[in-house]
Amino acid sequence: MRDDIPGHVNRFDGSASAHTVVQAGEVSGGVHFHHQVPLPAPVIVPHQLRSSVRHFVNRSEERTRLSSLVADRNDEPHAVRVAAITGTAGVGKTSLALHWAHSIRPHFPGGELYANLRGYTAGSPATPQEILGRFLEDLGVPATHVPAEPERRETMFRSLLAERRMLLVLDNAADSSQIRPLLPATSGCLVVVTSRDDLSGLVRQEGALRLDVTTFPTTDAVELLRAATAGYRTSDHRGDLAALARLCAGLPLALRIAAERAAGWPSMPLGELIDDLRDESARWSVLTAEAEEGSDAMRSVFEWSYQALSNPAARLFRRLGLHPGNEFGLPAAARLAGSDPAHVRGLLDTLVRAHLLERRPAGRYEFHDLLRAYAAEQVRREESETERTEILRRCLGWYLHTAYAAQCAMAPFDRYDLDDRIPAPAAALRFENYQSAFDWYRAESANLVTATRTAADAGFPEIAWRLAVVLRAVYMHQNAFDEWETTARIGVEAAARAGEQHGEAEALESLGKAAFQALRLDEAEEHHRASLALRRRIGDGCGMAVSVNALGLIGLRRRRLEEARAHFTDGAEIFRDLGDRRWTALVRSNLAETLCELGRGEEAQALIEQVLADFRELGDRACEGNALCLLSWAQRTSGQAEAAACSIRAALSIADDENNEVWQGHWLAESARVERARGNPEESLRLFQKSAAIQQKLGDASREATALDGAGEACQSLARFEEAAELHRRAADTYRQLDSHWQLARAQAHLADALTSLGDHESARAAREEALHLLGSFDDPRAITLAGQVARCLSDDNGS
């Protein structure tokens, strides 16, 4: 069941292989009513900086230069301040950025945002749209209302930061193009970027202050070694420390690993440890004669530290190099190790102490990308191909089945049920509720994309497409368009390569839903038709009906109502023959909505009354409430205003019971229409105001516009024509931005009526001309009736 208004929350659900689509809009302006103050959006002050590194040494000159950006913020009030910290791998860019960022936090009361852009990590770099989506959620925008379009994400982000003083740390950037969409547009914000790239584009076009971080001079390197070994070693000679520093090439990452090795052997003379490292360095110099000094030193230190690990710790370290991403949790590490989590936790602690891993909040761990590459090299060198294949299969299978558990908790009515092709591991996680599943998904979202790609590339296409399809229900509820489309495309190719046509059809279905949700209707239709063709070929009756229903929704979205009615009729018949009660009820609800749009309220009413019992017995409160809202619509347009009031009150009771503002905001608008039909314009205005305030809070621009337009009609009933005209203008502006022609035509017709009452006949004529032009593209009875009314009024305007 869904609503045919771009920007709204639209749902079409089903049973085991059903999929709910949520179509969301964006924040666009405020709500301005007389006599009522709209609900304020929640003020969220994020504090996302990672902890600063221990034993931070010097960098005083660099910090002084950076601090000039904090002092100078008024010269160009509309230009964001950007610090570009560049330098080679392992030189301490992130450490400097975080240490300095923590020191200037008091200057930014709006909070701090942090993102690892994964410019040089395993898998693909983070896309700007992925980061923007996450930032918007972190700033209080519900996931279902994050816009699909890149430009709208950027403008929403800049709007939210326009009046705030915030600090953004964008770590590990690939290049300048990855950064630009993430920049605010005000000097009240400061952006700190780290990258191995020189970011010359950012310097040239955005005026960024570039700071090239170099390796430590011997004095600073020795200071770091002394600080890191204090309490363990107190008698090391400065000459030995200087020799160790030179072997580490002055690179902080290498120095910290070397210091930890030295601290772990307090009784061994430092000279012996240096001789070991020197031998390792000489060996790598022979093997990598063309390598740069820093790279050569880094590899030597890695090998030196790796060789000192116990066999179990070394085995875990190299096997972690097979993990799809740089960051992971204990359960994934345990699957790679093939051991129980308690044992693996101890080994991870060993690797953290050796500075071969970094500990992250919430029980997670992260590789520096150089160390991950080194671990991957070691596993290729020390484990057979058969062993590596089995380890990776085990890890990917764990991700598949844990993602399946997450979708079951997050979208139980919409899940895709796995077959037994990939056996479920005993260690797959289970989730007790939505929040625990959502937390896992948020932590693993980047890894899930990389795992899908890794499965396809590593010869596990059967895992790749199933993972893509399992993630569909999660993505559609979160508006995670980038990840959704990426994994779905991988899934289509993987299933085709595996010769699994069912999987290919499912992945195409996912692509179609993603495109539909992003309002790319031509693309959505192409994918759904391709999926339908495959399902016909393999005789998948249920899948065929799902595709037919999807095509019906596209027709409803385009307001090709007879086309939509035919699709929904066919789909409902197929599901009825298959004995699928929920899908039958769902598609018949979509058919009832189409009948309401066609002005056939009595026919729609009979249909909805039949499906309500099914939804109630199935316990699907969302579909029950939506059916009640549709029933109210049908009753209202059939002249049964009192019955409609009872139906919509029942729907709102469900929203209250479930504490669901999305449902409440939508159904309040229908309640307001009912009150207007009952001759209660004051109450109608109050309900429309409440609906608009909720939609503004939720960030649903289109439904906010619907409530504004309805409030304008209520104001006209109260002879408050100036207020009405302003409300209709606001609604029309939003519909014009959303390219919603049907809704825009109605708003302009309403505006023209208000302007006529105000005596502004010229503006009224212009509004009616636009409405009539828009209505010319629709041929359904409601549109034809409205066009006739507008044309008559326009004729009267011209006559006057």
Side-chain angles (χ1 to χ4, degrees):
M1 189 176 297
R2 34 79 59 214
D3 194 285
D4 185 38
I5 301 177
H8 284 199
V9 176
N10 301 284
R11 298 176 57 87
F12 54 110
D13 303 295
S15 55
S17 59
H19 323 295
T20 297
V21 162
V22 181
Q23 177 64 51
E26 67 175 278
V27 175
S28 178
V31 180
H32 299 278
F33 288 118
H34 296 281
H35 315 302
Q36 176 162 324
V37 178
L39 292 174
V43 177
I44 295 179
V45 180
H47 295 291
Q48 298 183 347
L49 292 184
R50 290 186 169 180
S51 60
S52 184
V53 68
R54 295 183 64 207
H55 312 308
F56 187 84
V57 171
N58 203 343
R59 301 292 193 197
S60 57
E61 181 179 343
E62 290 89 340
R63 285 182 284 153
T64 299
R65 288 191 61 200
L66 288 168
S67 295
S68 67
L69 289 171
V70 179
D72 181 16
R73 58 180 294 264
N74 295 317
D75 289 349
E76 297 180 82
H78 303 296
V80 66
R81 295 166 290 164
V82 182
I85 300 176
T86 64
T88 191
V91 79
K93 302 181 294 296
T94 298
S95 298
L96 171 60
L98 289 173
H99 182 83
W100 182 65
H102 277 284
S103 73
I104 61 171
R105 281 181 58 189
H107 294 276
F108 299 95
E112 318 93 41
L113 293 169
Y114 172 90
N116 182 354
L117 303 186
R118 309 194 303 270
Y120 299 91
T121 56
S124 300
T127 66
Q129 301 317 309
E130 173 189 343
I131 299 301
L132 281 171
R134 181 154 295 201
F135 279 172
L136 289 172
E137 292 180 45
D138 294 338
L139 291 168
V141 178
T144 51
H145 300 303
V146 173
E149 300 85 349
E151 296 80 5
R152 288 181 175 168
R153 286 193 185 188
E154 292 179 35
T155 55
M156 182 186 286
F157 180 63
R158 293 186 183 117
S159 296
L160 289 175
L161 266 60
E163 303 300 326
R164 301 176 70 160
R165 292 171 58 189
M166 293 198 71
L167 176 62
L168 283 72
V169 177
L170 305 176
D171 199 12
N172 198 23
D175 52 36
S176 297
S177 64
Q178 192 184 22
I179 295 297
R180 287 195 188 93
L182 306 176
L183 295 179
T186 172
S187 65
C189 295
L190 173 62
V191 181
V192 183
V193 184
T194 72
S195 180
R196 296 181 203 172
D197 186 78
D198 64 8
L199 300 179
S200 58
L202 211 59
V203 174
R204 183 173 60 253
Q205 298 181 28
E206 311 297 335
L209 170 67
R210 181 168 58 207
L211 197 67
D212 191 37
V213 180
T214 59
T215 57
F216 274 149
T218 300
T219 301
D220 291 344
V222 168
E223 182 183 347
L224 174 57
L225 289 171
R226 282 201 185 281
T229 58
Y232 300 94
R233 309 180 65 93
T234 58
S235 58
D236 292 330
H237 297 298
R238 191 183 189 288
D240 287 339
L241 290 169
L244 182 56
R246 285 192 294 273
L247 285 168
C248 294
L251 289 160
L253 177 61
L255 287 164
R256 293 181 188 281
I257 293 173
E260 182 58 41
R261 174 83 189 277
W265 294 82
S267 62
M268 182 177 289
L270 189 57
E272 292 186 26
L273 291 171
I274 290 171
D275 287 341
D276 285 347
L277 179 53
R278 188 174 284 121
D279 290 343
E280 201 62 65
S281 179
R283 186 170 76 85
W284 279 112
S285 294
V286 171
L287 294 176
T288 58
E290 301 301 321
E292 297 178 359
E293 179 184 0
S295 174
D296 192 41
M298 197 78 75
R299 290 285 297 277
S300 300
V301 172
F302 292 171
E303 183 73 10
W304 181 60
S305 186
Y306 173 69
Q307 293 297 334
L309 295 172
S310 66
N311 286 336
R315 184 184 306 112
L316 175 61
F317 174 79
R318 64 178 177 262
R319 288 186 174 187
L320 289 171
L322 294 172
H323 185 268
N326 285 44
E327 188 186 30
F328 48 85
L330 173 62
R335 290 307 296 162
L336 285 162
S339 185
D340 66 275
H343 176 65
V344 172
R345 180 181 287 110
L347 298 178
L348 289 169
D349 289 342
T350 297
L351 297 177
V352 169
R353 287 194 299 271
H355 284 279
L356 297 176
L357 278 182
E358 295 178 65
R359 186 178 277 110
R360 293 291 175 229
R364 296 185 68 78
Y365 302 84
E366 186 174 21
F367 265 128
H368 188 286
D369 54 287
L370 294 179
L371 281 162
R372 185 193 181 279
Y374 175 76
E377 182 176 308
Q378 298 315 300
V379 78
R380 287 193 297 270
R381 193 172 72 179
E382 298 188 39
E383 308 266 5
S384 70
E385 182 177 355
T386 300
E387 289 172 323
R388 295 197 308 271
T389 299
E390 179 52 34
I391 294 166
L392 184 57
R393 182 194 298 274
R394 190 165 63 218
C395 178
L396 295 172
W398 178 85
Y399 268 109
L400 171 63
H401 284 278
T402 306
Y404 172 75
Q407 65 141 8
C408 289
M410 294 176 69
F413 283 114
D414 311 318
R415 68 181 186 267
Y416 173 82
D417 280 333
L418 288 173
D419 54 21
D420 58 1
R421 175 73 170 77
I422 311 298
L429 299 180
R430 296 293 179 265
F431 302 100
E432 295 181 0
N433 51 43
Y434 176 96
Q435 190 59 48
S436 61
F438 176 76
D439 290 343
W440 179 84
Y441 158 70
R442 279 295 299 264
E444 296 284 359
S445 58
N447 287 338
L448 289 166
V449 177
T450 307
T452 307
R453 182 179 292 108
T454 298
D457 294 344
F460 305 116
E462 69 283 359
I463 295 178
W465 77 255
R466 285 174 174 83
L467 183 54
V469 173
V470 159
L471 289 168
R472 173 175 54 201
V474 176
Y475 289 150
M476 65 179 60
H477 280 277
Q478 302 304 318
N479 269 15
F481 292 103
D482 293 337
E483 296 95 328
W484 190 358
E485 292 186 28
T486 298
T487 54
R489 291 187 188 282
I490 294 170
V492 170
E493 295 174 3
R497 190 163 60 249
E500 296 188 70
Q501 291 184 327
H502 166 73
E504 188 178 356
E506 289 289 340
L508 282 166
E509 179 82 18
S510 189
L511 269 179
K513 292 185 188 306
F516 178 86
Q517 192 154 327
L519 298 183
R520 301 195 304 271
L521 300 186
D522 289 344
E523 181 183 336
E525 182 174 3
E526 176 186 349
H527 294 313
H528 283 306
R529 290 197 180 282
S531 179
L532 178 60
L534 276 172
R535 286 164 166 168
R536 279 185 176 138
R537 189 181 308 158
I538 62 178
D540 178 6
C542 182
M544 287 166 55
V546 170
S547 293
V548 168
N549 180 66
L551 291 170
L553 292 173
I554 293 172
L556 190 54
R557 170 69 66 182
R558 288 170 166 160
R559 203 168 179 81
R560 297 177 182 171
L561 299 180
E562 287 299 336
E563 175 185 314
R565 186 186 64 80
H567 283 309
F568 292 139
T569 301
D570 291 345
E573 289 177 359
I574 296 173
F575 280 123
R576 184 191 59 199
D577 292 343
L578 291 170
D580 192 322
R581 186 180 181 189
R582 184 172 185 275
W583 257 114
T584 302
L586 176 68
V587 179
R588 294 178 79 189
S589 295
N590 290 338
L591 175 58
E593 181 176 350
T594 307
L595 293 172
C596 284
E597 289 286 2
L598 285 165
R600 294 157 62 174
E602 292 183 1
E603 189 176 345
Q605 180 178 338
L607 198 58
I608 298 165
E609 288 171 344
Q610 294 171 22
V611 304
L612 263 174
D614 291 327
F615 288 136
R616 284 169 175 155
E617 288 188 26
L618 290 164
D620 190 332
R621 300 282 276 171
C623 283
E624 179 187 350
N626 272 324
L628 285 165
C629 184
L630 281 176
L631 180 59
S632 174
W633 181 3
Q635 291 166 331
R636 172 173 53 83
T637 55
S638 299
Q640 306 168 56
E642 297 306 316
C646 292
S647 297
I648 197 60
R649 277 198 296 269
L652 287 168
S653 178
I654 291 174
D656 290 340
D657 291 344
E658 300 293 325
N659 194 28
N660 191 308
E661 282 193 315
V662 173
W663 302 350
Q664 184 187 45
H666 179 39
W667 299 339
L668 276 170
E670 170 58 25
S671 182
R673 295 185 193 99
V674 170
E675 290 307 311
R676 186 161 177 260
R678 296 175 75 195
N680 300 322
E682 286 279 7
E683 179 63 8
S684 175
L685 177 59
R686 186 189 71 81
L687 292 170
F688 272 128
Q689 289 173 333
K690 187 175 180 181
S691 175
I694 291 173
Q695 301 301 352
Q696 182 197 40
K697 178 182 175 183
L698 294 172
D700 193 324
S702 185
R703 279 188 171 161
E704 182 186 342
T706 297
L708 290 171
D709 195 40
E713 291 186 272
C715 282
Q716 290 200 58
S717 298
L718 294 166
R720 290 156 57 173
F721 299 114
E722 288 187 3
E723 292 177 54
E726 175 61 19
L727 291 165
H728 293 314
R729 284 192 188 97
R730 287 188 169 277
D733 287 345
T734 298
Y735 288 137
R736 192 171 286 109
Q737 292 174 28
L738 295 173
D739 205 26
S740 301
H741 291 179
W742 165 246
Q743 289 78 18
L744 175 58
R746 296 180 74 244
Q748 286 295 83
H750 298 153
L751 173 60
D753 292 341
L755 292 171
T756 297
S757 297
L758 290 169
D760 188 350
H761 298 288
E762 183 176 348
S763 297
R765 185 182 303 110
R768 288 190 174 108
E769 286 175 347
E770 182 180 7
L772 195 59
H773 172 73
L774 292 166
L775 290 167
S777 60
F778 303 110
D779 60 1
D780 61 275
R782 284 183 70 201
I784 292 170
T785 298
L786 181 58
Q789 294 170 353
V790 172
R792 286 191 294 274
C793 290
L794 191 57
S795 177
D796 292 342
D797 291 339
N798 291 331
S800 64

